[in-house]
Amino acid sequence: MGAAFASARVNCQETRIDDAKRSSKNVLEMLRAKMQEYQPKRAMSNLDIIREIFDLLDEKLKAGGKYEELVELMKSPDFDIKAGTLKTMMSKIRAERRIERAQCPCCHTDVPSSQITVQYRDGVTRQSDRLTEA
């Protein structure tokens, strides 16, 4: 009778463990589905706005416009920056556009070419280290 009781207790514990695993798996699947559906609402930053109209602003500057005039034209309750801030943002965007980009050989995404060179160089170094260790 003791063996039957012990066997029943083990079966009961296994059932609870299986139920807990199933329950955790269901919760995990539910959470994963919710996260995939979630689309955060993101307001555009001032820099994002300037990026969107950069070409137009740059064209007006080249035609003789001044940062102060452009800032006054853009001024609204939702958007207000100073001329110096606009100048800094424009410089930053110009620098971003000058960066040479290339397709990553591993993940096929568009990345700065200098990043690929550094990663490749590090990979070669690590590979040569392995060869000398062997």
Side-chain angles (χ1 to χ4, degrees), residues 46 49 70-82:
N46 287 348
I49 292 169
L70 296 175
V71 166
E72 281 301 315
L73 287 171
M74 293 187 294
K75 192 176 264 187
S76 74
D78 298 327
F79 186 80
D80 187 20
I81 60 173
K82 296 181 180 175

Side-chain angles (χ1 to χ4, degrees), residues 47-63:
L47 184 59
D48 291 334
I49 292 169
I50 299 302
R51 270 193 193 102
E52 289 293 320
I53 60 172
F54 175 82
D55 292 326
L56 183 59
L57 292 171
D58 199 39
E59 178 184 309
K60 298 300 178 188
L61 288 168
K62 287 178 181 175

